[in-house]
Amino acid sequence: MVIGISIALILASCLMILLVLLHKGKGGGLSDMFGGGFSSNFGGSSVVERNLDRLTIITGAVWFVCIIALGLLLRP
């Protein structure tokens, strides 16, 4: 059980790093390659940015649950 949660934590951590790097910063980001920069200049967020936000929040929640589960399982 601990090994499975540890693997899920590693995968969630790597995915979280990738998703955060894809977000658009003040000077633009990698999300510009997918059309994020063009649509955001004309008002609200683009569909790509909203989906990226949702995926980042879900990944963060999975990461948090894995951390809590490992803490409870490895508690002496």
Side-chain angles (χ1 to χ4, degrees):
M1 182 93 169
V2 173
I3 293 174
I5 295 174
S6 296
I7 291 171
L9 178 64
I10 291 170
L11 292 175
S13 298
C14 292
L15 185 60
M16 182 68 87
I17 291 170
L18 177 70
L19 291 172
V20 168
L21 288 175
L22 283 175
H23 277 278
K24 183 177 180 185
K26 291 182 180 178
L30 292 177
S31 64
D32 289 339
M33 288 192 304
F34 304 111
F38 179 76
S39 298
S40 64
N41 290 336
F42 298 105
S45 299
S46 69
V47 174
V48 174
E49 289 178 10
R50 283 187 301 225
N51 289 337
L52 186 61
D53 289 341
R54 290 178 187 146
L55 191 57
T56 304
I57 291 170
I58 291 169
T59 304
V62 169
W63 183 85
F64 184 74
V65 168
C66 289
I67 291 289
I68 298 297
L70 276 177
L72 292 175
L73 287 174
L74 296 177
R75 184 174 51 175

